[in-house]
Amino acid sequence: MDNAIVKLRGYKDGLHLIINPKVSLNEVETAIHELLSEMNQSLSGTSIQIDMMTTPLTSDDLKELETHLTKSYDLVVSGVNVLDEKDESPILAAPTTHSISQELSLDTPTHVENAQVVRQTIRSGQTTACLTGSIILYGDVNPGGEVIASGDIVVLGALRGSAHAGANGSLSSVIIAMDLVPLQLQIGTYVNRPPLVQKPRGYPEIARVGAEGIIIVEEFIKF
Amino acid sequence: MGKVIVITSGKGGVGKTTSTANLGTALAMIEKTVVIVDADVGLRNLDVVMGLESRVVYTSMDVIEKRCELSKALVKDRRVENLMLLAASQRNRKDDIRPEQMQDICEKLKEEYDFVLIDSPAGIEQGFHNAAAGADEAIIVTTPDLSAIRDADRIIGLLQNEGIEPINLVINRLSATLVRKGNMISKNDVLDILNIDLIGVIPEDTGVIASTNRGVPLVHTDRSPGAEAYMRIARRMIGQRVPIPDMREDSFLDQIANWFSRNK
């Protein structure tokens, strides 16, 4: 079901309609019609999200598209995610599916200066989140534990679990840990799974999004 | 007023019941009054490990449903004075008991006994919550493998949410030989992750299997490394300062070699 203009993908949080950036509203509507009529089952009543790059479509266009989807196909549009232009295809391959991230509105400022200080070990099954800034954690994040911040994440201990910095989509956020041996890192919309065998290196490390749009990890010397 | 300590782990098969039986017996051997409570409703084992299976007449369910007095439901141990067992009902399910009912039993027991040890079921569901409901403190049992450590970590988080403090750690089945060969996670690595106080390390001891099958807790066996380790934990539980001996992670030959190189 490969359609150049629109694609339908199922992710953990439901269906996403992914729209090609460089086309007009009419073309999008035609493509949606083709796509949905090709399907042999009705999506009536299904909740979907729209993912798109920064596009020539205006917010009025988007509203019209939403109404169109609701009226003509009986779809419930549960969210519109406008992705940053720089994030090329990797996002289409793996848009962030974190529910908390999606609760964030897109106009949350990307450079957040306030930070929340957490003095606790984040154990398996526990989550600590700061959706209005950065997190400074005095303690460890154990495997199965999770830290989420719209800004940066600084772990003054071992990061062995998962961390999601820039949860509102900010790609300039960083993750710093005294001992960076995570199960998974996310910055903005990028996800990185480190190599299976990791040994503590004995020095602090920083993870950030590099020029190629991949998360790079290097020794943390100075900011 | 005594203490209620829940013995739990998250993962099954790491030695909760064995530890409850042995610590209960060890505490009674050093003249404390002890009740061990099986909270594993529907899958009770503690009576079997204690060799008291045939003596169980009433269970905690009978107490809760007022079919008998609490004192009457306690089974006296065959070997040690001052040691009692409160068995779990085998006919019921874990959700037949509510946390308040367990709490009630614990409150009553700790008025009369120095230690009330609760043998928790595996898992993080109702059975675990019932077991932890009346607890003042907790002992986490883990083996040095990743899945057990992961589950222990989860359980510690849950216990901390309930305000249970202190939470002490028992590392069970540590094999110095395997650690030395790099095939087992070491004591320090376990502590590094779990970040709670260590109250004891039980070495791998095949004697445990035989003792479980005979229904005689290991602490009754002389000169067994496992029994000695349990006795040391019991002493720490009553506030004595007993150091945790470093397990020899060198082989006998290595030790001789070290001795020579040191004396060169």
Side-chain angles (χ1 to χ4, degrees):
Chain A
M1 203 205 301
D2 200 38
N3 187 315
I5 299 170
V6 289
K7 280 185 224 168
L8 202 55
R9 287 277 182 275
Y11 293 112
K12 231 178 12 195
D13 61 336
L15 279 180
H16 285 234
L17 191 68
I18 302 159
I19 298 176
N20 185 304
K22 294 166 191 85
V23 290
S24 72
L25 184 61
N26 268 339
E27 283 173 276
V28 171
E29 284 181 357
T30 325
I32 290 175
H33 178 73
E34 273 171 23
L35 179 75
L36 294 181
S37 52
E38 267 173 34
M39 298 186 57
N40 40 21
Q41 71 193 81
S42 161
L43 288 178
S44 170
T46 314
S47 149
I48 63 155
Q49 299 198 33
I50 301 176
D51 286 356
M52 58 193 333
M53 305 288 196
T54 353
T55 85
L57 297 190
T58 63
S59 53
D60 284 346
D61 285 344
L62 279 175
K63 267 198 200 109
E64 204 188 314
L65 183 63
E66 261 189 73
T67 341
H68 176 67
L69 287 172
T70 316
K71 279 205 179 135
S72 315
Y73 305 103
D74 194 20
L75 292 168
V76 184
V77 180
S78 60
V80 179
N81 311 314
V82 179
L83 308 169
D84 205 288
E85 192 160 22
K86 281 177 290 178
D87 332 339
E88 289 284 35
S89 45
I91 295 183
L92 295 182
T96 171
T97 52
H98 208 286
S99 51
I100 295 183
S101 328
Q102 268 149 11
E103 283 163 23
L104 286 167
S105 83
L106 287 159
D107 38 69
T108 315
T110 28
H111 294 284
V112 215
E113 295 303 339
N114 58 316
Q116 185 184 331
V117 175
V118 181
R119 288 168 204 274
Q120 193 197 335
T121 297
I122 309 299
R123 299 182 183 277
S124 176
Q126 297 178 328
T127 301
T128 186
C130 174
L131 304 182
T132 52
S134 303
I135 284 188
I136 299 168
L137 177 77
Y138 293 88
D140 297 340
V141 183
N142 281 352
E146 199 175 22
V147 184
I148 301 164
S150 57
D152 302 331
I153 294 172
V154 179
V155 179
L156 297 167
L159 173 51
R160 306 186 188 96
S162 309
H164 186 180
N168 62 345
S170 152
L171 296 179
S172 55
S173 298
V174 295
I175 299 168
I176 299 169
M178 291 302 110
D179 202 352
L180 191 67
V181 280
L183 287 181
Q184 207 176 75
L185 291 179
Q186 268 191 67
I187 296 177
T189 41
Y190 291 103
V191 187
N192 183 0
R193 188 171 47 78
L196 268 180
V197 181
Q198 299 183 86
K199 288 232 171 74
R201 282 165 201 78
Y203 50 78
E205 287 183 296
I206 178 169
R208 53 186 173 79
V209 177
E212 284 85 39
I214 47 167
I215 296 180
I216 54 171
V217 174
E218 56 197 0
E219 184 174 359
F220 178 66
I221 298 165
K222 65 172 191 154
F223 206 75
Chain B
M1 190 71 124
K3 269 189 212 170
V4 182
I5 304 176
V6 60
I7 297 177
T8 183
S9 69
K11 190 175 179 297
V14 295
K16 288 179 295 295
T17 304
T18 310
S19 295
T20 310
N22 280 292
L23 292 176
T25 310
L27 286 166
M29 285 162 95
I30 49 178
E31 326 259 272
K32 294 288 167 189
T33 54
V34 186
V35 189
I36 50 179
V37 180
D38 194 341
D40 204 346
V41 177
L43 286 170
R44 72 177 193 210
N45 283 146
L46 192 54
D47 53 333
V48 182
V49 175
M50 294 298 296
L52 296 172
E53 205 178 0
S54 61
R55 303 190 183 197
V56 175
V57 180
Y58 296 109
T59 65
S60 49
M61 204 68 210
D62 296 316
V63 177
I64 287 167
E65 293 180 344
K66 304 214 161 43
R67 282 190 291 269
C68 89
E69 286 294 310
L70 178 56
S71 56
K72 213 174 144 196
L74 300 179
V75 183
K76 216 170 156 304
D77 186 54
R78 284 190 291 161
R79 294 176 180 78
V80 211
E81 283 289 307
N82 308 328
L83 178 59
M84 298 292 195
L85 165 77
L86 179 59
S89 162
Q90 190 70 321
R91 288 191 303 273
N92 291 81
R93 296 155 53 90
K94 293 182 174 63
D95 10 344
D96 294 343
I97 294 186
R98 288 197 314 275
E100 311 87 72
Q101 295 170 325
M102 268 307 272
Q103 215 169 345
D104 203 40
I105 291 181
C106 293
E107 291 297 324
K108 285 183 187 140
L109 287 175
K110 76 173 171 188
E111 276 170 23
E112 283 180 48
Y113 292 85
D114 299 326
F115 284 93
V116 180
L117 304 186
I118 318 265
D119 180 21
S120 152
I124 55 171
E125 292 80 21
Q126 177 86 25
F128 161 72
H129 286 290
N130 285 342
D136 307 308
E137 300 181 7
I139 290 180
I140 304 280
V141 182
T142 187
T143 51
D145 53 276
L146 277 182
S147 46
I149 296 169
R150 198 68 60 89
D151 292 0
D153 190 50
R154 178 90 170 96
I155 285 284
I156 295 167
L158 294 174
L159 290 169
Q160 284 174 339
N161 288 347
E162 309 237 337
I164 294 174
E165 169 79 37
I167 302 171
N168 286 304
L169 181 70
V170 169
I171 302 177
N172 194 14
R173 304 190 62 180
L174 192 75
S175 154
T177 321
L178 287 179
V179 172
R180 189 182 68 242
K181 287 181 185 159
N183 291 333
M184 188 180 266
I185 301 168
S186 73
K187 177 187 90 185
N188 287 341
D189 286 346
V190 177
L191 287 177
D192 217 29
I193 295 178
L194 295 182
N195 199 16
I196 54 172
D197 289 333
L198 181 70
I199 198 170
V201 178
I202 316 292
E204 175 81 31
D205 185 340
T206 45
V208 172
I209 300 166
S211 95
T212 303
N213 291 338
R214 275 188 299 142
V216 182
L218 191 66
V219 284
H220 288 293
T221 323
D222 287 335
R223 269 179 296 175
S224 134
E228 284 171 6
Y230 276 120
M231 285 307 299
R232 283 194 296 269
I233 296 177
R235 293 191 186 284
R236 289 179 201 117
M237 287 169 77
I238 62 166
Q240 293 182 8
R241 293 173 65 93
V242 185
I244 297 175
D246 251 337
M247 279 174 68
R248 278 261 159 230
E249 296 187 358
D250 294 334
S251 73
F252 182 61
L253 282 176
D254 289 338
Q255 286 174 45
I256 295 176
N258 287 344
W259 190 81
F260 275 113
S261 57
R262 238 181 293 147
N263 288 280
K264 240 192 281 188

